[in-house]
Amino acid sequence: MSASVDERRRHRRYAYDGPVEYRRLGPATPGRIRNLSEGGLQVELPERFSSGTQLSLDLSLGDRSIHAEVEVAWSTDPRDGAMTPYPHGVKFIRLELQDRLSLAVFIAKVYGG
């Protein structure tokens, strides 16, 4: 019997609806955070990126702003036949210590985790 997705995760995911801006080659483009963990995020973006694509993100978590470099782990078509946005799972590949601590404090404060 295989392990469920939740059993394989190193970090617990928390539902969160908040703004994110991403950059690949051009100017910053807005998207939405749908859930977060200390290891990555699920975001909805107006364009689809393939697995392995690296992006630069600026996250707004309450009164905190965090910068992260991420890698797309997966992406899928929009929900319910919509044209956009595209759900993506991204993992942190570069997160400065202060930003990592800010994320951990935010999670502990909001979710008690």
Side-chain angles (χ1 to χ4, degrees), residues 15-92:
Y16 181 73
D17 180 22
V20 64
E21 287 190 338
Y22 70 94
R23 287 180 193 78
R24 173 124 197 273
L25 299 172
T29 304
R32 297 298 297 174
I33 302 167
R34 293 302 178 200
N35 72 42
L36 55 87
S37 78
E38 290 186 46
L41 309 164
Q42 180 181 341
V43 293
E44 291 181 342
L45 306 176
E47 58 189 306
R48 187 172 183 180
F49 295 101
S50 60
S51 296
T53 302
Q54 294 186 3
L55 302 170
S56 178
L57 300 181
D58 290 311
L59 315 146
S60 293
L61 302 177
D63 61 350
R64 301 173 189 273
S65 294
I66 294 173
H67 177 78
E69 300 296 321
V70 300
E71 182 177 298
V72 174
W74 59 266
S75 64
T76 189
D77 289 330
R79 295 184 175 99
D80 303 322
M83 296 301 289
T84 61
Y86 295 91
H88 291 74
V90 299
K91 62 182 177 180
F92 297 126

Side-chain angles (χ1 to χ4, degrees), residues 86-107:
Y86 295 91
H88 291 74
V90 299
K91 62 182 177 180
F92 297 126
I93 56 174
R94 192 169 317 124
L95 192 61
E96 295 294 329
L97 179 59
Q98 184 60 46
D99 289 332
R100 187 172 300 281
L101 291 172
S102 291
L103 177 60
V105 166
F106 178 81
I107 289 172

